Structure formats: structure tokens, C-alpha cells
């Protein structure tokens, strides 16, 4: 086990900062312990690693295991938003002003790992969250590796996602078993085969990074934005093409229902450079339009 203690430069809400990295309840690569510590299992450039992160009294203490332990500790400040600047955000709506004031510890995490965020984002394309989370969970359980770390803690139940070769070798029937259609599985395989080039996007500016990801067929603006928000901590990577986000942003900022992507982008225009942060702040308020239609049913392809 390797350890590191780090003092954030300002307030840090560990749960809200890292919460976007978890892919639903039961994510094999992400756990929150009863004491509030966050456990993550990652495939780093140095190999598999598990990190436990706890915040106490203005300090963060991290413990890490596995070949990727040192890499995880070295990149800990970036993961927790050390390179993020919440002060760059100027609220222009009352709701955002209050959210920004009430949540000073919300920072934009930067994992520095593109494939780790890209593959689950591909699985989330045009399906319900429950479907995508189930697919991610099953694929990691079947094809991931046991997470390094103490077997009697959360690490004992966690999994590290496959490496690029492992994703490319997942057989067709396993994708089908996980409920992933051929279009999404083919996109994951293409991304895995271009993994080295895609990982370079973690060191690029947002525009170049998005272009690098979108060069892979099957990766569009929605998937690129969802990935870069996490891998690069991209403060301006607004998610376009989402079923719910435009309506939520529109309702929260104007009270209007039925806002589309164009309307959302118009509302977010004053926050150019910080549009993703504006959306995150909207979401933490919990203000959203009342659901008027039934939830989408799960499209289970396993019986086709």
C-alpha cells in the first residue's frame, strides 16, 4: 500500500466532485464506504490500481494498491479538481448564484483516463440509465480483473475494467448477454483499437480532444462531451443531444417546459467557457420539471 496526504487549495466536496465517476448503483469500479470514503478501481498507464480517498479536517488522505498505485496518487490533486477554477464562474441567474454559493466544494474532477470514461459513455448511448449501468456492471464482472487491495474491504468486491485488448476480444454473445446492441459494441471495439491515440486526448485542449474522439465512427458530440467532462475536467463541455438535460436547464433557469438543445445553448451562452459547470450547478439544485410521461421501458435485446 502507498499513501499520500494532500491539502486542497479551497473547499472540497468529495462526494459531489467524484460522484459523476460512478456508473450507477453497484458499479464494480466505484464504491462509497459508510464512512464517506470513495474507492475507485482504475486501469492506469502503469496497470491496475485501487485508491481509497477520504477527506477529513481540510485534508485528503489517499491509500492505493496495485501496479497503478503510484500513478493514482501522483494524479490525485488533478482528480480532485486542483486544476479547476470555480472562481472563473460568474453566475447570471439567481438559481445559479445560490447553487454556486451553497456548494463551494463542487469541483470538476479530471481523471486523465479517456477510455475509462469513454466506454461507459458509449454504453449509455440512446438507452435508459438502468440498461447502461447493467451492461457496465456485467461486462466488468465477466471480463474485468479483481481490484488490487484488501480483500476484506470494498476492494474485495470491485473490478478493474479490461485493458484495450480485453475490450476488443469480448465475444459477440457476451455483448448480447449484457444487453448491448451491435452498434454500441462495434463502437467500443473501434475505440479500444484506437486506445493509444484516444488517450492522448487527455492532454489536449477541449476542441482538439473532442475532434480526436469524434474521429472514431459511432462517437458523436454527446459521447465526446460526457467523456471529456470526466477525463479532462472540461468546464465548457456541454452535453448536447441529451434527452433530459435541455428540459432541466430550461425549466430551472426560466420555468419554461420543453426547452430543446438550441434553447439550452442560448441560455448557457453567457457562461461560455463554463457551460458544463453551469449544468452541474443546475443539477445539484434538484430543480427539474415534473415528469408527465411514463418512463421509457427497457429495450432488452437478450431475447431477440
Amino acid at each position: 500500500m502507498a499513501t499520500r496526504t494532500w491539502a486542497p487549495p479551497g473547499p472540497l466536496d468529495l462526494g459531489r466532485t467524484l460522484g459523476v465517476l460512478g456508473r450507477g448503483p453497484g458499479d464494480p469500479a466505484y464504491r462509497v464506504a459508510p464512512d464517506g470514503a470513495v474507492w475507485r478501481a482504475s486501469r492506469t498507464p502503469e496497470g491496475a490500481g485501487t485508491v481509497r480517498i477520504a477527506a477529513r479536517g481540510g485534508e485528503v488522505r489517499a491509500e492505493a494498491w496495485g501496479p497503478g498505485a503510484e500513478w493514482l496518487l501522483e494524479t490525485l490533486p488533478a482528480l480532485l479538481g486542483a486544476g479547476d477554477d470555480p472562481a472563473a464562474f460568474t453566475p447570471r441567474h439567481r438559481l445559479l448564484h445560490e447553487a454556486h454559493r451553497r456548494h463551494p466544494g463542487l469541483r470538476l474532477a479530471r481523471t486523465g483516463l479517456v477510455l475509462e470514461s469513454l466506454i461507459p459513455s458509449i454504453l449509455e448511448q440512446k438507452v435508459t440509465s438502468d440498461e447502461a449501468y447493467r451492461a457496465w456492471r456485467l461486462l466488468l464482472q465477466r471480463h474485468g480483473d479483481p481490484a488490487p487491495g484488501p480483500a476484506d474491504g470494498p476492494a474485495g468486491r470491485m473490478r478493474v475494467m479490461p485493458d484495450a485488448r480485453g475490450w476488443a476480444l469480448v465475444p459477440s454473445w457476451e455483448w448480447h448477454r449484457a444487453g448491448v446492441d451491435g452498434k454500441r459494441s462495434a463502437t467500443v471495439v473501434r475505440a479500444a483499437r484506437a486506445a493509444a491515440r484516444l488517450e492522448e486526448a487527455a492532454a489536449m485542449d477541449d476542441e482538439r480532444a473532442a475532434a480526436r474522439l469524434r474521429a472514431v465512427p459511432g462517437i458523436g458530440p454527446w459521447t465526446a462531451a460526457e467523456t471529456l467532462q470526466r477525463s479532462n475536467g472540461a468546464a465548457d463541455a456541454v452535453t448536447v443531444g441529451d434527452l433530459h438535460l435541455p428540459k432541466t436547464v430550461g425549466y430551472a433557469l426560466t420555468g419554461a417546459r420543453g426547452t430543446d438543445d438550441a434553447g439550452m445553448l442560448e441560455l448557457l451562452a453567457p457562461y461560455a467557457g463554463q457551460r458544463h459547470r453551469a449544468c452541474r450547478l443546475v443539477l445539484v439544485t434538484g430543480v427539474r420539471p415534473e415528469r408527465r410521461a411514463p418512463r421509457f421501458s427497457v429495450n432488452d435485446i437478450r431475447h431477440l
Side-chain angles (χ1 to χ4, degrees):
M1 182 182 69
T3 64
R4 177 175 184 176
T5 300
W6 177 68
L12 173 65
D13 186 329
L14 185 66
R16 291 193 187 278
T17 296
L18 297 183
V20 294
L21 304 181
R23 301 292 180 161
D27 181 349
Y30 186 93
R31 292 281 193 275
V32 179
D35 63 359
V38 174
W39 291 71
R40 295 188 67 240
S42 294
R43 178 75 61 181
T44 79
E46 305 300 326
T50 304
V51 62
R52 175 190 182 273
I53 308 169
R56 295 287 186 277
E59 283 191 337
V60 172
R61 176 176 170 81
E63 302 164 320
W65 298 263
E70 293 296 339
W71 190 93
L72 288 169
L73 295 181
E74 181 181 348
T75 59
L76 178 71
L79 176 69
L80 299 180
D84 182 34
D85 183 15
F89 182 76
T90 303
R92 299 181 185 277
H93 293 81
R94 184 185 299 274
L95 179 120
L96 291 182
H97 182 275
E98 279 300 298
H100 192 47
R101 182 182 65 82
R102 292 184 178 185
H103 301 282
L106 173 61
R107 292 180 173 270
L108 303 183
R110 182 188 184 280
T111 67
L113 300 169
V114 174
L115 217 62
E116 178 182 272
S117 293
L118 175 59
I119 289 177
S121 295
I122 294 171
L123 296 178
E124 292 170 6
Q125 291 175 350
K126 300 185 184 302
V127 296
T128 66
S129 296
D130 287 346
E131 289 176 84
Y133 295 158
R134 176 185 177 277
W136 176 248
R137 186 170 63 249
L138 289 179
L139 288 166
L140 263 61
Q141 289 170 346
R142 297 277 291 181
H143 301 281
D145 296 324
D152 58 349
R157 303 185 300 276
M158 297 176 71
R159 308 285 289 182
V160 178
M161 77 170 200
D163 60 13
R165 184 174 183 273
W167 283 115
L169 292 178
V170 174
S172 59
W173 60 86
E174 290 284 358
W175 291 111
H176 193 270
R177 180 178 181 274
V180 180
D181 59 79
K183 183 176 180 180
R184 285 181 292 150
S185 63
T187 302
V188 171
V189 171
R190 283 192 292 267
R193 289 173 176 166
R197 293 279 290 164
L198 294 179
E199 291 292 352
E200 293 173 356
M204 296 178 179
D205 62 65
D206 293 356
E207 185 175 350
R208 290 178 60 223
R212 177 66 61 90
L213 267 59
R214 293 174 63 181
V216 176
I219 298 177
W222 185 93
T223 307
E226 288 287 308
T227 301
L228 297 177
Q229 289 164 6
R230 297 165 172 83
S231 64
N232 292 32
D236 198 47
V238 60
T239 304
V240 174
D242 192 81
L243 181 62
H244 303 293
L245 185 63
K247 298 180 180 67
T248 300
V249 170
Y251 182 78
L253 299 186
T254 69
R257 298 177 181 271
T259 302
D260 58 12
D261 279 329
M264 176 180 70
L265 292 175
E266 184 177 350
L267 287 171
L268 295 176
Y271 303 106
Q274 295 283 315
R275 293 179 297 174
H276 170 51
R277 190 189 309 278
C279 292
R280 286 287 304 279
L281 289 170
V282 166
L283 294 175
V284 300
T285 67
V287 176
R288 49 181 45 85
E290 181 181 352
R291 185 183 296 274
R292 291 182 171 179
R295 293 180 179 273
F296 285 108
S297 60
V298 174
N299 180 28
D300 192 347
I301 70 165
R302 291 172 295 164
H303 304 299
L304 298 180

